[in-house]
Amino acid sequence: MSDKVRIGVAGVVVGVLALLLMKFGNPPNMGFCIACFLRDIAGALGLDHATKVQYLRPEIVGLVLGAWLTALFTREFRPVGGAAPWTRFTLGFFAMIGFLAFLGCPLRMVLRLAAGDLNALVGLAGLIAGVITGIFFINRGYSLGRAQPQGRVGGYLFPGMMLILLIFIFAKPSFILQSKTGPGSMHAPVLLSLTAGLILGFLAQRVRLCMVGGFRDYFFFRETYLLTGFFAILITAFLGNIFWLHTFKLGFAGQPIAHTEALWNFLGMTLGGLASVLLGGCPLRQLVAAAEGNTDAATAVVGMIVGAAIAHNFNLAASPQGLPPNGQFAVVFGLVVTALIGWLSRPIAARRQAQA
Amino acid sequence: MESLVDARGLLCPEPVLMVKREMERLGGKGRIKVLVDSGASKENISRLARSRGWAVTVQGEGPEYTLLLEK
């Protein structure tokens, strides 16, 4: 099977899984949303005070464990780290601020678009603007340096953390919080969510699925491999919304878990897209890389979780009413910090070359 | 002459970019040995090379690979 057929088939399966999860109880247009689900996990762990977004999403746990087992089996599990972990934490943090201003990661953006939510089209334009900005920095010599091999223990810690969350999902200890209303209360049955996550993890590890990498590689190399996956998910979810779930509704207003403030949908995704390109991939890709033993990616994921908690504690996250002023400030501030990281993170060799 | 690109420890898209620059530096033909340590880099570089008409030979079974690109 050719590469593109493989990632196309994977995209179709991911699209079908997302539709299934929505049919069986996940929030609307949120079959998968890596950013939202990490945010729900932050809520379930009690890291913030938002009572409507607390749920230990089995999709995330399944995704990491699925990718981890696949990497072990294919001998691609390799503990590495040490390429600017704190910078990656910060980029993960601001990526989340951006995604929560839009209300979704690039994967949910595709699902929103597939359901006719035109705000997601504005988000897509913002994402592409962020990717192009990231490419500008990379062409200038942006790099976070080389990761070094680490001891095996380091690589097992992140999947290990997910195993503990898996125990919590089934044991339901009282310190794990669960929303009674709002998006956190809406979820597919645990076993379905977990299985869908495992399959997503397996597929994403195998075909290297990345929702920002598609545009990045297209603009860089005219390479359409990852973009094939992106469009396969989009088309599958689009057809499923029309003919199966009957949830397709074209327009800007009244879309589920979305707002209509174009500027902030655009800039939120610009921030998320830029930070993702500087990290080397979207939140989904970061989770898979962390499962493969990349401790820097694990650090970026924790940055996202902390970003989500702060976003809800400081009233930075958007709601269907729009993005609060605090959030508007945070997005602009995040764009400045992220751009500075992109501008200033150049290895000595690239700087010398530029001077010569 | 064979040139060497060491892309170990780097995440996408840096390894592909390094190889692309090396191809351009060599004037679009020659022999390039590439060291990578992830399956994603191995596949991305192979894809770029083949799309530009370079022959690709992969050595190693992971997680470290050596790619030999020739044109």
Side-chain angles (χ1 to χ4, degrees), chain A:
Chain A
M1 209 186 313
S2 92
D3 276 1
K4 272 192 196 161
V5 175
R6 239 165 51 112
I7 195 169
V9 171
V12 170
V13 176
V14 173
V16 170
L17 289 173
L19 291 162
L20 262 175
L21 290 169
M22 291 187 279
K23 176 154 178 77
F24 286 98
N26 270 22
N29 302 346
M30 211 188 274
F32 291 113
C33 172
I34 307 305
C36 319
F37 290 180
L38 288 174
R39 185 262 329 266
D40 293 346
I41 289 177
L45 297 176
L47 299 179
D48 60 55
H49 316 305
T51 53
K52 290 185 176 174
V53 284
Q54 301 164 332
Y55 180 49
L56 215 49
R57 294 274 174 194
E59 288 89 345
I60 297 286
V61 174
L63 164 58
V64 173
L65 295 179
W68 176 54
L69 293 174
T70 309
L72 281 178
F73 189 73
T74 58
R75 299 176 64 185
E76 289 182 341
F77 177 76
R78 181 180 148 87
V80 296
W86 185 247
T87 307
R88 290 182 190 276
F89 177 95
T90 309
L91 289 171
F93 180 96
F94 283 112
M96 182 61 89
I97 300 292
F99 292 137
L100 292 182
F102 166 74
L103 290 172
C105 70
L107 187 50
R108 180 169 191 246
M109 180 195 76
V110 168
L111 297 176
R112 283 175 56 176
L113 204 55
D117 179 348
L118 293 176
N119 302 298
L121 204 56
V122 179
L124 175 61
L127 182 82
I128 291 174
V131 170
I132 290 173
T133 314
I135 289 175
F136 165 76
F137 290 133
I138 292 171
N139 272 330
R140 264 185 95 244
Y142 165 85
S143 175
L144 289 182
R146 259 177 225 280
Q148 304 294 329
Q150 309 263 308
R152 285 192 86 75
V153 177
Y156 286 127
L157 289 177
F158 187 74
M161 186 173 94
M162 291 295 155
L163 279 174
I164 291 173
L165 294 186
L166 182 67
I167 294 169
F168 288 166
I169 287 171
F170 288 103
K172 296 192 172 72
S174 60
F175 51 79
I176 295 293
L177 308 174
Q178 160 80 65
S179 298
K180 292 187 175 59
T181 59
S185 69
M186 304 167 77
H187 58 83
V190 168
L191 282 180
L192 177 64
S193 296
L194 192 62
T195 310
L198 282 166
I199 298 172
L200 175 63
F202 164 75
L203 292 172
Q205 200 281 338
R206 287 287 67 214
V207 304
R208 333 287 180 198
L209 193 65
C210 175
M211 306 304 283
V212 299
F215 291 101
R216 179 197 65 203
D217 292 352
Y218 179 75
F219 292 127
F220 248 126
F221 313 115
R222 295 287 171 252
E223 170 60 61
T224 52
Y225 171 75
L226 286 174
L227 217 47
T228 310
F230 181 97
F231 281 108
I233 300 174
L234 178 64
I235 293 166
T236 308
F238 172 72
L239 294 175
N241 277 314
I242 292 180
F243 296 111
W244 185 29
L245 302 186
H246 306 289
T247 41
F248 186 83
K249 187 178 86 171
L250 194 67
F252 285 97
Q255 296 288 353
I257 318 178
H259 64 80
T260 55
E261 295 178 354
L263 177 66
W264 300 109
N265 280 326
F266 183 92
L267 288 180
M269 272 324 231
T270 304
L271 173 55
L274 172 60
S276 295
V277 169
L278 297 184
L279 280 172
C282 71
L284 169 69
R285 185 75 204 134
Q286 296 300 315
L287 280 170
V288 173
E292 289 172 335
N294 188 319
T295 56
D296 292 332
T299 310
V301 171
V302 176
M304 291 177 202
I305 294 174
V306 173
I310 297 279
H312 283 283
N313 282 336
F314 293 6
N315 197 23
L316 313 180
S319 72
Q321 284 74 47
L323 188 65
N326 291 8
Q328 299 176 4
F329 174 83
V331 167
V332 174
F333 182 71
L335 279 167
V336 172
V337 174
T338 308
L340 279 174
I341 290 174
W343 184 264
L344 298 173
S345 303
R346 287 201 296 170
I348 296 156
R351 264 178 268 152
R352 283 213 190 104
Q353 208 175 15
Q355 281 165 4

Side-chain angles (χ1 to χ4, degrees), chain B residues 33-49:
Chain B
K33 193 168 157 185
V34 189
L35 307 178
V36 295
D37 61 358
S38 82
S41 295
K42 177 195 72 173
E43 287 163 22
N44 292 340
I45 291 168
S46 303
R47 209 174 288 123
L48 172 87

